[in-house]
Structures are given as C-alpha cells and as structure tokens.
C-alpha cells in the first residue's frame, strides 16, 4: 500500500481508473490514522461534531448515505481549514427497532417472568414474516433476550461500518460508542439522576398514550397522524326523570360508551344552555352522567354536544383533568376490554358489558353498534368520514389512552408551571446557527405546540434501565414516594438485578424491602445526551471541556422535534448552555413515488449496489448537489455525472502531470512556481480560479456544500474543455513562445491542479487522494484549503474576463465544424472573427492559442458593436484521413 508520508515511488498509471480506490485508500487511512483526533489541543483549535448514531438494526439504506455524506463534506472542509476535528460515530442500539428485529430474526419474544437459560439457542436465525407473530415466537427471559439483542447489533454495526468506510466518511473510529454500552448507560443514568435531584424528573400516574401492540407508553414526539376511515355514530342519551326525552351526541368512538363520564357543551351554545347542569343516562349501560360546560366543546362539530370518555382523545384528558371527573377505564394495556366496570350499576348494563370483556377495540365497536341498533339508541345511518388518528411512528394500530405510572422530564410543555422554561428553550433555538436558517421555525413551532412534559419511561426491555427502586412498606405495598437511588460510582445499574444500598437481594419484593422500577428510558432520553456520551462527560472531564459545546449537529429535519429538541433540553437543564453552535439539516430522501425512503416504510434502497455501480465519489457527488433541508429524489443520473467527473479528474491530471524534464521523478514532474507564469491566458485562468476559491470558501463557511459544487464544477469543466485545449500545444513546446511559454503553461497547470484537487477533496475523496498520491507527499485531506491570495498574485493584475472571452471564441470555432458536420481536427484555412470592441485585446492576446485550438491557417479579427462573437467567411480544409486501428 502507498505510504502517505513518502510518495516518491508513486507513478501515474497508464490507464487511471476508479475501481478499487475505496478499498485501497480506506486501508491507507486506517493504517496512518489521518482522521484521528489529537487530544493535545485547546478548545479554540477543535471542531467537534455531534454525529447522528444510526439505528443498528437491519441494513443501512441510501438515505443514510445521503445525509452522512453531506455532513462529512463539512467536516473535511473544517479539517482543511486547520481545525483539529473531533468526529466520533456512535451506534443507536437500544430501543424498539432493535427489539423488533431480534424478535423477527431469532423468532423469540421477551417474557420477564421466565428464568435465564444458560447457552440458550434461538429457534432460528434469519427470521421470516411468520416470526413476527407472537404465537410463532418462543418466550425467553429478559436476560436471554438482551443477549440476543447484543449479539445481533454487533453484526449490524460491523456491516454499517463497512458501508461507511466504503463511502469514505472521515470519522475517528477510535471514538465510537454504543447507546447501550456501559459508558452510555452510566451517562444516561447519571443525567437522569441529576434531573431527579433538581426536580426536573418526576413520576406521575396519569392518562398516557399507549401502543397496544408493543405495550409501551409513547411520547408526544413519537406520535404521528395517519388518515383513517371512520364514521360518526348518533347516539341518544335519556334525560333523567323525563321519560321519552333524549339528547343526541355524535361520536367516532361508540365502543367507549361504557367509559362515558359526562357530556359537554360550549357555554355559549344556545341549544344546550338549559341542559347544562342536568343529568342524563347513557344508552345501553344506563349510567347517570352530568352535562357540563367547557370552552373546548365545538358547536359546529357533530351535534355540538360531546361525550367525555376516559379516554378517547386529548380533549377527553383535558376535560377530565379540568372538570375533575372520575376515571372509568375500559381498555387495558393489551388493547382489549377489561373485565370489571363497577360503575355500571344495572344488571342489564352489566350483562351488556360482559359481552365486551376480552374483545379487541375493533370487535367491541362492532358489538356496541349492533347493540345500539337493536335497542334503538343508534339513530340513522353512520356518517362515513376520513379523519386523522394518532399512531406510534413505528406502530401498526391506533394509540389508546391508558392510565399508568410513568416518568417525565420537564421540557416546557406544561402551560402554566413551565412557561419560563418554554421561553428559555425558544430562546436557545434562536441562539443556534441553523443551516438552512428557516429550519429554526420548525423548532420554535414544535416547542410552542407542546402539550405536556417529556414522557421518558418505556415498558420495554432492551434499553437503559431507569436507575431507581421503591421502598416496600411493612404491608407489602410499594411506596412510590420513597424513591431509592444509586450513588454515582455504582453506575451503570440494573435495578432488576442489582439491590440498592442498605438492602440485600433477599429483600426484593418483600414487606419492608424494595422493588425495582422495571422500565427503561426512552431511546431519545439517551440519544439526547450524545454530546455528553461522545465527549466522555463523566469519565474524562478534560476531553469534555475541549469538545463541548460541540460545533456541529448534522441531522434530518424530521427529528428536529425529537433528537434536536431533546438534546437542547438536556443541555439547557444540565449545563445551562447550548449543546452545539451550528446545526446542518438535511432533507429526506424520496422514492420515485415522492414518499420518504425509510426502513420502517419498507421502501429503502440499500446503498451497496449503487456504491459498486457508481463508486463512492459518484454517490457522494449526488448527495453534495442536494440543497440543505430540501427533500430530494433518488437520482442515479446525478451519480453517473459524479462518476464521470471523477474520471475526468483522473484523466485531466494525467495530462497535466505528463510534462517535465525528469518524468521519472514525480516530485519534479511539474514545477508549480508562480513566477514562471507569464502568458496572459495562463494568468487569466489563475485569476478566474482565484474567484472560484473565494466563492467556494464563502459557501463552505456557510456549510453550503451544494453551492460550493455549483461554483467549482463548472470552472473545472471549462478548465478541461477550453483552457487545456487552448494551451495544449504551447505546453508541449510547440509554439512561438518557446520554452518560456511552455514553462508558463506547465506551471499554471500545476498550480491549478493542486488547487482544484483540494477544492474537490471534501466531496470526491477517493479520486482526489489518488491523484495527489501520483506527485505529492502526504494526503490531500491533510492539506490546507486553497487560498485565493497566491493565485491573485500569480495572475499579475490579469482577470478572468480574458478567459471568458476565449471560452466564447472557442465555442464559436467548434460550432463551425459541428454545424458543417466535420471532425474537430478539420483545419480552417481562413476566417474572420467578428469580435465586440471591448474584448478585441483578449482575442489578440491569445491568437496563437486559438489558432492551435481550431487548426486555423489565418484569421482576421474584425471589431464590431454588440456582445457576441461570430465567424464570417470561413474556409474549411480537408479533414485528415482516419488512421486505421492497430
């Protein structure tokens, strides 16, 4: 393999190509550790990155490649600007996606009541669709299940790392982490205990959004609306003591009729003003409920009179809380009707409720509608509608409200008590430098729309355990007000297997002893601490001080409400600061149908085939052409352009490196001495390149990789198609300018090549490194970013306008032959070039180059008014005979 510190043995290949460059240079970069962070540094020298830890379950899809490539471009630029880059990469192992993958892959499901089995062998490896059903999964202990999770994530992480290395990510693999490893668990638990100590974490029993499939609570940030078919059912409630008199409600949830606790109307609704304060009797179950007033009731929705149940939606929760209504839960954690409804007093009502016990929500709704139809309580036909229904973002069934005891962290979501915190978090959002800037509004809108604190407990298994126990009183009842916590030096702990200080394992779940909190922390509760985890907050305070607050958070816009917001919350509460200074937001990758590509949607495209077909540089180019924050469709055409561009860099570089008096010595192949650049065309090219450097630098300083490419790429193609063709003969020494003209061309080529390789290096990482190795020591990725000042000095007051004039003239000359349908090698015996007055000097200064380009015998320059160059009186010679192939 090539040595980055000694390239004297490198040579220019006879036929340069892209194949194999990813493997070749990844190995060199591994061996030389060129992307390793230097801990001997000051904070001012560091550029630190809070890199998204991808979910290590299954396979990467091309959307990951899209976003991570864009972030890497920014990072590589900062490294070339002289920054000591701290660029770790973690793996997001814990959480539901990993559990689901393990269940399907091994055909198991977790049952915490089972004992641990030594040397457990899962029933299958690889899984299939049938294994997704609980009936086809073998129950295993929690410890066995976690071991399988750890086993599979290691395999997935190795696969992910291979893809990222093939892609050329310049991460420092010495600073990788897992969100489930001991460091992450200790960090997450310590931060939680700090929140608890300050009163920012608390436990509360309240209605909670619940996924009945996964049997876990779901936070607001993990919910999404999906349009579903439904219907309004018109049900009649009897007025108490007024036989035959009924009032009507319209509901989409008739199955919640046995959970009804009140009816509610808007206080200004004249239709129901006389009814407010009275009592009505529910149909079928004959339960007396009050009619109340509340401003949330909508007179123009349904009948204008709403049924309050515990709980159908967020309004029910608000009404229940503010009107101090009783709780009558009928749906259990499994999504089936519970066996007891003691508030139903009548035998008839109990008999009807008994028919619902154990039914799913769907089946219960069907039976309630049948009952109400038979009894005459359902009036008219249901009105079919489409309406938004809340789902867990990874779930398949609508969410339900279930009353449960859960842990929360304050996030400004409670209107009155946390108004100051909400304002502070909005202010934090304004302090961040957003790229693009308009993304700040998405963050602000999310904070302003919060409906409650952050629910951080989950009833799952593979995650960071909530590090608390509860005392058990002498009667064997759990005292949730007596929370037992570990010391910092005990972390990480698992309360289900570890005992709190002062207790023994024999006292677990016994009177006078303790009981564990069996829940785990929401995966975002750990991921929100990635700057703390990567920076070794609790184990290496010296490193943490050098990298925190971090300089960049790159991520997708869809997780502004989750990862970005939650990280700001934790950093604000813990450090009273922002977690980072800048955030670069990438858009979604869209499939051909215009929908987001993702593993969960099943429409993700794996990147391996695209990387093999178009090369890493081609794929990176496609990612770099996409605007920050803008959703982009998968476009293989752009990848093809990127591959063609990379090949052109190889071939143009080979041409540029073909000159010199000592071709056997690559170090002397091209002298890049600006002092020998004397010809106007060469100076004009360097002047134009100086302008490109200035614009590219401005773009990258704003983290705008797409605009950088938009500036650099057109210049490069002009450099190849026009400048090189114009100076080719002179560079070979075949011009009247002799040795001086040749030296000028060769030096200009060398200077431009060096600058262009460094400009392209953050994007086309393999092609530029390959060319650099042909003639320079070290890595192009450790070179300084180009500076425009030496180029301006080498141009000697020349400007790029001359080059623009020559490009226009070259286009006219080529078009003569194209229009005549003859070879570009066909000579032009004579012609007139009509040239605008203000650029005549440009054409005359490069007359010899134009003659060589067009194989022109003689041509006259005729000054004219206007802005365009045209050709007149053209006389073409004979095209050269085709040479037979050998």
């Amino acid at each position: 393999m090539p040595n980055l510190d000694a390239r004297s043995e490198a040579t220019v290949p006879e036929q340069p190509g892209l194949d194999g460059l990813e493997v070749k240079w990844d190995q060199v970069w591994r061996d030389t550790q060129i992307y390793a962070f230097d801990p001997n540094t000051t904070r001012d020298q560091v550029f630190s990155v809070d890199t998204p830890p991808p979910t290590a379950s299954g396979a990467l899809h091309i959307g990951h490649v899209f976003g991570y490539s864009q972030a890497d471009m920014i990072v590589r630029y900062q490294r070339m600007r002289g920054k000591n880059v701290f660029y770790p990469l973690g793996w997001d192992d814990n959480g539901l996606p990993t559990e689901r993958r393990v269940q399907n892959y091994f055909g198991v499901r977790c049952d915490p009541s089972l004992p641990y089995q030594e040397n457990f062998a899962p029933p299958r490896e690889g899984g299939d669709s049938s294994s997704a059903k609980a009936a086809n999964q073998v129950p295993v202990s929690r410890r066995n299940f976690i071991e399988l999770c750890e086993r599979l994530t290691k395999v997935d992480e190795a696969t992910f790392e291979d893809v990222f290395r093939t892609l050329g990510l310049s991460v420092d693999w010495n600073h990788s982490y897992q969100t489930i490893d001991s460091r992450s668990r200790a960090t997450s638990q310590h931060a939680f205990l700090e929140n608890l100590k300050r009163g920012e974490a608390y436990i509360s029993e309240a209605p909670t959004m619940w996924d009945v499939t996964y049997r876990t609570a779901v936070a607001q940030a993990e919910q999404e609306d999906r349009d579903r078919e439904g219907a309004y059912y018109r049900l009649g409630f009897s007025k108490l003591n007024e036989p035959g008199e009924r009032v009507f409600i319209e509901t989409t949830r008739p199955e919640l009729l046995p959970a009804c606790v009140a009816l509610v109307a808007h206080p200004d609704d004249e239709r129901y003003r006389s009814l407010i304060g009275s009592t009505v009797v529910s149909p079928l179950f004959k339960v007396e409920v009050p009619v109340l007033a509340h401003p949330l009731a909508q007179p123009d929705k349904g009948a204008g009179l709403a049924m309050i149940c515990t709980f159908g939606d967020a309004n029910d929760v608000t009404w229940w809380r503010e009107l101090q209504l009783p709780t009558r839960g009928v749906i259990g954690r499994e999504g089936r009707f519970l066996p007891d409804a003691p508030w139903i007093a009548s035998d008839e009502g109990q008999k009807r409720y008994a028919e619902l016990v154990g039914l799913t929500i769907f089946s219960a709704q069907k039976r309630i509608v049948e009952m109400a139809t038979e009894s005459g309580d359902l009036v008219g036909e249901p009105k079919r509608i489409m309406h938004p229904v809340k789902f867990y973002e990874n779930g398949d069934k609508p969410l339900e409200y279930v009353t449960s005891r859960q842990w929360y962290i304050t996030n400004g979501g409670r209107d009155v008590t946390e108004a100051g915190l909400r304002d502070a978090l909005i202010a934090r959002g304004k302090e961040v430098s957003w790229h693009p800037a308009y993304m700040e509004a998405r963050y602000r809108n999310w904070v302003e729309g919060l409906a409650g604190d952050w629910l951080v407990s989950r009833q799952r298994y593979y995650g960071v355990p909530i590090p608390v126990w509860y005392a058990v009183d002498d009667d064997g009842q759990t005292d949730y007000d007596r929370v037992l916590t570990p010391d910092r030096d005990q972390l990480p702990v698992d309360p289900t297997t570890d005992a709190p200080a002062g207790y023994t394992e024999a006292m677990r779940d016994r009177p006078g002893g303790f009981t564990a909190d069996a829940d785990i922390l929401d995966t975002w509760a750990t991921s929100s601490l990635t700057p703390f985890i990567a920076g070794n907050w609790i184990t290496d305070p010296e490193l943490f001080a050098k990298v925190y607050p971090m300089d960049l958070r790159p991520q997708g816009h869809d997780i502004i409400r989750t990862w970005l917001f939650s990280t700001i919350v934790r950093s604000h509460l813990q450090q009273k600061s922002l977690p980072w200074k800048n955030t670069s937001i990438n858009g979604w990758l869209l499939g051909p149908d215009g929908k987001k590509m993702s593993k969960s949607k099943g429409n993700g495209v794996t990147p391996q085939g695209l990387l093999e077909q178009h090369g890493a540089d081609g794929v990176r180019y496609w990612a770099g052409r996409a605007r920050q924050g803008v959703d982009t469709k998968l476009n293989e055409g752009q990848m093809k352009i990127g591959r063609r561009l990379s090949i052109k860099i190889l071939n143009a570089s080979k041409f540029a490196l073909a000159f010199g008096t000592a071709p056997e010595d690559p170090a002397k192949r091209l002298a890049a001495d600006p002092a020998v650049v004397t010809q106007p065309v060469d100076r004009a090219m360097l002047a134009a390149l100086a302008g490109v450097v200035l614009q590219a630098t401005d773009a990258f300083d704003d983290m705008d990789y797409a605009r950088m490419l938009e500036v650099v790429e057109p210049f490069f193609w002009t450099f190849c198609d026009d400048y090189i063709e114009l100076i080719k003969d002179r560079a070979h020494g075949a011009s009247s300018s002799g040795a001086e003209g040749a030296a000028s061309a060769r030096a200009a080529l060398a200077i431009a090549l060096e600058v262009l390789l460094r400009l392209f290096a953050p994007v086309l990482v393999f092609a530029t490194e390959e060319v650099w190795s042909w003639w320079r020591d070290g890595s192009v990725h450790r070179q300084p970013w180009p500076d425009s000042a030496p180029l301006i000095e080498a141009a000697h007051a020349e400007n790029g306008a001359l080059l623009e004039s020559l490009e226009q003239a070259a286009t006219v000359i080529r078009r003569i032959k194209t229009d005549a349908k003859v070879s570009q090698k066909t000579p032009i015996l004579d012609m007139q070039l009509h040239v605008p007055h203000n650029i005549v000097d440009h054409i005359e200064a490069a007359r010899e180059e134009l003659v060589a380009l067009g194989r022109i015998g003689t041509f006259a320059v005729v000054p004219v008014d206007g802005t365009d160059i045209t050709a007149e009186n053209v006389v073409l010679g004979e095209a050269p005979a085709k040479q037979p192939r050998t």
Side-chain angles (χ1 to χ4, degrees), residues 265-293:
H266 193 280
D268 297 331
D269 193 333
E270 294 289 346
R271 294 172 295 175
Y272 303 113
R273 183 164 291 177
S274 62
L275 191 64
I276 293 172
S278 67
T279 299
V280 296
V281 180
S282 66
L284 298 180
F285 303 100
K286 308 304 179 185
V287 177
E288 295 181 6
V289 296
V291 182
L292 305 172

Side-chain angles (χ1 to χ4, degrees), residues 396-432:
D396 302 316
K397 293 182 180 179
L399 293 172
E400 298 293 339
Y401 275 96
V402 172
T403 300
S404 59
R405 184 176 282 104
Q406 304 289 343
W407 281 97
Y408 297 83
I409 291 178
T410 55
N411 68 352
R414 287 184 293 173
D415 302 309
V416 178
T417 57
E418 295 185 5
L421 177 57
R422 180 180 302 197
D423 291 343
L425 293 173
I426 291 172
R428 288 290 185 206
K430 294 177 180 177
E431 294 175 31
V432 177

Side-chain angles (χ1 to χ4, degrees), residues 53 92 179 522-531 533 553 563 566-567:
D92 194 6
T179 58
D522 166 27
T523 185
W524 293 113
T526 300
S527 296
S528 63
L529 297 166
T530 49
I533 296 168
R553 154 66 71 81
W563 191 37
S566 63
T567 308

Side-chain angles (χ1 to χ4, degrees), residues 192 202-210 215-218 311 320 333 401-408 454-460 466 468-471 477-483 515-520:
F192 175 82
Y202 62 92
I203 193 169
S204 177
E205 186 168 13
T208 305
M209 290 297 271
W210 188 269
R215 301 179 190 180
T216 184
V218 176
F311 298 92
W320 166 81
R333 295 187 173 194
Y401 275 96
V402 172
T403 300
S404 59
R405 184 176 282 104
Q406 304 289 343
W407 281 97
Y408 297 83
W454 179 11
L455 191 161
V456 296
S457 49
R458 293 292 181 273
Q459 292 65 51
R460 299 302 301 175
I466 294 178
V468 301
W469 303 264
Y470 308 101
Q477 299 298 311
T478 301
D479 185 353
Y480 290 101
D481 292 329
R482 289 180 60 194
V483 179
T515 190
D517 191 315
D519 290 350
I520 62 171

Side-chain angles (χ1 to χ4, degrees), residues 207-208 253 255-262 307-313 315-321 324-332 337-338 343 353 400-403:
T208 305
R253 301 291 304 270
E255 71 276 12
L256 293 180
L257 186 58
C260 178
V261 291
M307 176 174 69
I308 305 175
C309 302
T310 51
F311 298 92
D313 59 19
N315 281 342
D316 281 345
V317 176
T318 301
W319 287 325
W320 166 81
R321 184 175 62 243
Q324 298 184 351
L325 297 168
T327 302
R328 294 172 180 166
V330 295
I331 298 174
F337 269 62
L338 297 170
W343 57 89
Y353 185 78
E400 298 293 339
Y401 275 96
V402 172
T403 300

